Amino acid sequence: MSLSLQSGGAASRALAPPSTARAIADQGNQMTTRPITTGTSVLGMKYRGGVMLAADTLVSYGSLAKYKNARRLLSINSRTLIGAGGEYSDLQSIADLLRGNALNDRCTADSLYEEDNNEECAGEVWSYLRAVMYQRRNRMNPLWNDVVVAGFRQNPDGTTTDSPFLGVVDKIGTAYEDDVLATGFGAYIALPLMREKYRPDMEEGEARALLEDCLRILFYRDCRALNRVQIAKVTMDGGVLVSEPYELDTYWDFKGFVTNKGEMGTDGGW
Amino acid sequence: MFRNMYDTDVTVWSPEGRLLQVEYAMESVKQGSACVALRSDTHSVIGALKRSVSELSSHQQKILEIDDHLGIGIAGLTADARTLAKWMRNECLNHKYVYGTAMPTGRLATDLADRHQRTTQTYVRRPYGVGLLLASFDKNGPHVYQTCPSGNVYECYAAAIGARSQSGRTYLEKHHETFPTCGRDDLIMHALRALVGCISGDGELTSENGSIGVVGKDERFVLIEGAELQPYLDRLELEGGNNAGGAEEEEGEGDAEEEEEKEDDVMET
């Protein structure tokens, strides 16, 4: 990458347009090379008896805060949640895919005797998504998302484990599990805070409070974040629950936010 | 010469509304040596009688492992069964790669049935001449499935296919109510007893021609053959159960089939 400034102005704008043949070829096979409408971080955390996800409801168009009530936490089946940042249309596509699979599972009985328990567990959804994401990036046409998958893992004998599942898949198919996860800007801002406060035996209320604190801090520091958020959880006996979007209270009177650090009488920030 | 005008292609109906090629394929399953499968609440077991072409040759493999949790018993054309087994192994591996978990048996069984069915309405192809018994233990517990060349698939508590399998089936029907609570070894004994009835004439169930496959909760699929089978055969001997043609009630259907068997095609096991 060159650090020098690109030549600008009339000269650069006067560059010859691409040849017609090239333009048509480009149209024929378009691949995602960059995201257009994007969501930002998703946070996920295990707690006693469940997993919780949190994300704001902003979808940006570049730096423009375009859609302020977009839901980025979605239920896939009765025990699995996903949450995603990145290209919002790709998230819609992923949700259609996974929900389609879930519908198939519901409609086809694997056994003639037992019709229940056909559902994919969160671990399977996560693994499947990993295969899809990796295949897409190998075709040089990635789904531009980092997806967090939450739920419970199933034992080989069909029983659901007590321990919750939390995993993430990124846009090139890298996949891993952890007790606390954050994608996007949250991986820099929120993840250290979450790791500091996390305990495996946290109560639901504590977990929610911690996630809300992290979302609030992300709203302060991430220019693509919003204080309108959603929280979602999967519990052992209650299944999935995704909250309606709601707004976090914010406090802007911190001295650091108010006083001018530039000391030059400018509008310099904090 | 013109014995039958309607059996030269799978896609041609006979005036009676039958697909003769498919029926012939179903017959080839009956020519293969017997194979039984049954399940309890914790285990699935396959038992099979292996054939050898001559005194000098070894016995043909009858039970094939597909995955850690799944095995098949075959009756009919071995070559066809091996083709299907290879495909099934591949499907199981693909499922493990994509989902990270074991292939649900029901899904594999219906996909397998679709494969069978496709050959029955595609010209230039012929139906697979093999019937399979699937025994597995997956996330929904133990399963036994039976597939036919016609494309039918049945999930069973117990099943028997192959030559003289009727007496084995009769045994299973008589005792199936006790199967759910059976332990692993008791289930194997039931399989062996069902097999004994399927042996022709003066034959005997030995560690050479007997073959057992077991899978269950916390136990991956294993084959029990040769020396490992001997203890079970000894137990059978103690019960006085291992003399064919006597112990279990022989159902009709026998004699004609026995004749056929003598001139059996080498391909069918």
Side-chain angles (χ1 to χ4, degrees), chain B residues 122-139:
Chain B
T122 316
Y123 93 121
V124 311
R125 306 190 71 168
R126 63 167 175 82
Y128 288 105
V130 68
L132 305 182
L133 292 180
L134 283 71
S136 76
F137 187 92
D138 63 20
K139 65 175 181 177

Side-chain angles (χ1 to χ4, degrees), chain A residues 5 25 28 84 135 149 170 187 205 211 236 249 262:
Chain A
L5 286 172
Q135 185 233 27
V149 182
D170 75 4
L211 286 175
M236 189 65 180
D249 294 330

Side-chain angles (χ1 to χ4, degrees), chain A residues 41-45 52-55 73 148 166 181-183 185-187 190-191 194 210-215 218:
Chain A
S41 336
V42 178
L43 313 179
M45 192 162 64
M52 198 177 282
L53 297 184
L73 302 181
V148 180
L166 181 62
L181 283 175
T183 67
F185 206 52
L191 199 53
M194 289 159 74
L210 177 51
L211 286 175
E212 282 183 351
D213 281 347
C214 290
L215 286 172
L218 277 168

